[in-house]
Amino acid sequence: MQVHEIQAGSIFVASRLPDADYVANPYTGCEFGCLYCYASFMGRFVGEPIPAWGKYVYAKVNAPARAVEEMERWRPSTGMTRFS
């Protein structure tokens, strides 16, 4: 399996799941490559073909910092100065 480190443009992505408006994506790919996986199309965002699913992981090494930045941007006016 190949492991790559990349910089993320965003961590939270709008979701079509019934119980989640957004999901966190700290990486792209997986180690398992299940045939029934709904996410195998995600390889197109990192230049990988669908048949390579399960053979790579692209870890978004700036995920923690990007997540904080995105949450700060979405923070309602509650008087909080920072998410912790």
Side-chain angles (χ1 to χ4, degrees):
M1 183 177 73
Q2 298 177 20
V3 177
H4 307 274
E5 293 183 351
I6 60 172
Q7 297 290 313
S10 65
I11 299 302
F12 298 108
V13 180
S15 169
R16 293 186 182 155
L17 296 172
D19 295 333
D21 293 331
Y22 291 87
V23 295
N25 287 326
Y27 60 88
T28 298
C30 82
E31 182 177 4
F32 304 107
C34 301
L35 295 175
Y36 57 82
C37 183
Y38 71 91
S40 60
F41 73 93
M42 293 296 291
R44 71 179 181 206
F45 295 109
V46 291
E48 297 284 353
I50 289 176
W53 188 250
K55 297 180 176 130
Y56 61 86
V57 169
Y58 286 77
K60 299 175 182 179
V61 295
N62 64 332
R66 287 295 302 148
V68 169
E69 290 171 10
E70 290 178 43
M71 287 188 293
E72 290 289 338
R73 205 173 49 234
W74 295 340
R75 179 174 41 104
S77 300
T78 61
M80 292 174 55
T81 57
R82 184 164 181 88
F83 283 105
S84 13

